Amino acid sequence: MRSIRLPLKKGVGVLNIAHRGARAFAPENTLVAFEKAKCLGSQMFEIDVRLSKDGALVVHHDETLSRCTDVQTKFPRRDSYDVWDFTVDELMQLDAGSWYIKQLMLPSLQRQAFLQTLTEEEAREFVTIQARDVFASGNIKIPTLKQTLEFAVAADMMVNIELKPQPGKQEDLVAEVVKLVEWMRMEHKILISSFDHHLLRELRQLNKTIAIGVLTSQSIMNLNEYLESLDADAYHPAGYSDGDVKGLQKLKLNEFAVTLEAGWPVNVWTCNNKEDIRQLVTCGVSGVISDFPNRVKEVIDEFIS
Ligand code: G3P
Ligand code: MG
């Protein structure tokens, strides 16, 4: 039997992993999105981690700050709006919540893709009037990784840390993340993934106990051997579905089945369509990474009842 590190050991059921927090119901990659993930039944949330100009670990998906903050208003006339061109103090001045409310007020088809399938019922039920006020207040900030992990401890949640590209500073990123996770003694609660598999190799050199997820949007030849060679704990392939794709391809499901058969946990991203989630759970995946943890929970509950 393959030995898999915590938090992916077998027997915990299908992990409901909230993508960037419960991204459909709160501004992504912020503490309120992680809180929402907890409320919606996720045991784990996924986040994207980068370094600021002065070397702080911060949680933000895009390379630039423009989509999810008011950076251009607060810092007009800057040459670059990339995260790594801002100090952590500057990042903390940004409003990382109002953009989400502006999106919510648009007609569905004009919103960003992940929000286009949000139903009126879901919006009413899961984004209350009070929550909308908080998100639009200007007080929602980009969290540091430390604040995020402190939240996870308090909420008793696991975290999937995705390492994002950091030109020229890749090694610092890995080393700093490992240092923080070890210092907080959270090794057993953390799963680290990245599209950059060199980073995962580096991580394994530094730490033997943190679980690794091999993130990819492509097919990998000799997958089982490849996962083995990285001393990985899970495969994180792209599924489909933002509502505009007709379902998981049979080919993909077969690939997942073979990987699962070989004893590897498989956590698929980013699945928002309930029929796709049903197929994945039937296929036996270990986790589903979704913008809509409520839908994942509903599907998992169907299998339990
Ligand atoms: O970790 C799964 C997923 O987050 C990878 O893609 O672009 O959403 O970070 P992205
Ligand atoms: Mg990510």
Side-chain angles (χ1 to χ4, degrees):
M1 193 60 200
R2 185 175 308 289
S3 158
I4 299 290
R5 294 168 183 83
L6 287 168
L8 288 167
K9 281 199 188 290
K10 287 216 186 287
V12 290
V14 181
L15 282 177
N16 181 350
I17 308 171
H19 187 229
R20 309 184 201 171
R23 180 190 186 211
F25 304 109
E28 66 184 52
N29 276 326
T30 67
L31 295 175
V32 284
F34 312 147
E35 229 170 77
K36 182 53 84 177
K38 174 81 181 175
C39 295
L40 294 177
S42 296
Q43 308 94 321
M44 179 184 274
F45 55 93
E46 187 263 2
I47 56 171
D48 305 285
V49 172
R50 301 177 175 280
L51 281 170
S52 68
K53 187 176 180 180
D54 49 350
L57 292 167
V58 293
V59 179
H60 196 75
H61 176 270
D62 297 2
E63 213 165 277
T64 84
L65 294 155
S66 305
R67 182 177 62 91
C68 296
T69 75
D70 61 345
V71 69
Q72 300 191 11
T73 314
K74 294 254 170 68
F75 295 94
R77 294 181 298 279
R78 288 276 281 250
D79 289 342
S80 156
Y81 289 116
D82 291 345
V83 176
W84 52 70
D85 287 321
F86 283 72
T87 64
V88 71
D89 281 350
E90 288 172 335
L91 292 172
M92 293 305 129
Q93 294 171 42
L94 302 176
D95 169 4
S98 299
W99 73 272
Y100 170 83
I101 293 300
K102 287 183 193 143
Q103 280 288 310
L104 218 55
M105 282 168 6
L106 294 172
S108 329
L109 290 176
Q110 287 174 33
R111 294 180 192 151
Q112 293 172 28
F114 76 97
L115 264 182
Q116 292 186 3
T117 68
L118 179 78
T119 65
E120 279 180 29
E121 295 71 38
E122 284 175 321
R124 246 197 321 274
E125 187 174 351
F126 301 124
V127 200
T128 62
I129 304 290
Q130 294 91 318
R132 290 173 201 228
D133 287 345
V134 173
F135 300 165
S137 67
N139 294 326
I140 302 297
K141 302 294 172 191
I142 291 176
T144 61
L145 180 60
K146 183 162 177 282
Q147 289 170 332
T148 302
L149 296 186
E150 282 165 353
F151 166 83
V153 171
D156 192 20
M157 292 184 82
M158 299 178 280
V159 186
N160 173 193
I161 299 176
E162 183 191 337
L163 305 172
K164 284 296 185 196
Q166 191 80 27
K169 296 246 167 119
Q170 298 289 76
E171 287 168 17
D172 295 357
L173 178 67
V174 181
E176 289 303 314
V177 169
V178 169
K179 204 158 86 188
L180 181 63
V181 170
E182 288 176 347
W183 182 71
M184 293 184 76
R185 304 209 170 149
M186 288 189 72
E187 292 95 325
H188 59 295
K189 293 272 192 185
I190 302 293
L191 164 61
I192 297 187
S193 59
S194 184
F195 286 109
D196 183 341
H197 301 171
H198 295 296
L199 292 189
L200 301 178
R201 283 186 206 283
E202 240 174 84
L203 161 65
R204 188 51 84 230
Q205 293 298 316
L206 295 173
N207 181 291
K208 305 285 179 225
T209 58
I210 300 175
I212 283 180
V214 176
L215 187 52
T216 183
S217 53
Q218 286 155 10
S219 286
I220 295 176
M221 298 274 284
N222 303 319
L223 180 59
N224 293 332
E225 290 79 0
Y226 186 69
L227 296 174
E228 200 88 59
S229 76
L230 283 165
D231 192 15
D233 298 271
Y235 177 45
H236 284 209
Y240 291 77
S241 88
D242 260 327
D244 53 349
V245 188
K246 283 179 202 65
L248 285 160
Q249 293 171 355
K250 200 146 193 264
L251 203 64
K252 281 249 159 197
L253 287 171
N254 287 345
E255 180 199 281
F256 301 162
V258 171
T259 320
L260 288 160
E261 183 72 18
W264 294 102
V266 176
N267 302 318
V268 184
W269 55 279
T270 302
C271 291
N272 294 338
N273 175 291
K274 277 178 78 172
E275 191 39 47
D276 288 351
I277 298 169
R278 239 173 241 125
Q279 286 190 47
L280 289 170
V281 175
T282 305
C283 169
V285 297
S286 52
V288 179
I289 302 176
S290 176
D291 299 321
F292 291 82
N294 58 314
R295 297 181 190 171
V296 178
K297 182 170 186 325
E298 281 165 25
V299 170
I300 292 173
D301 287 350
E302 288 170 11
F303 281 76
I304 294 168
S305 59

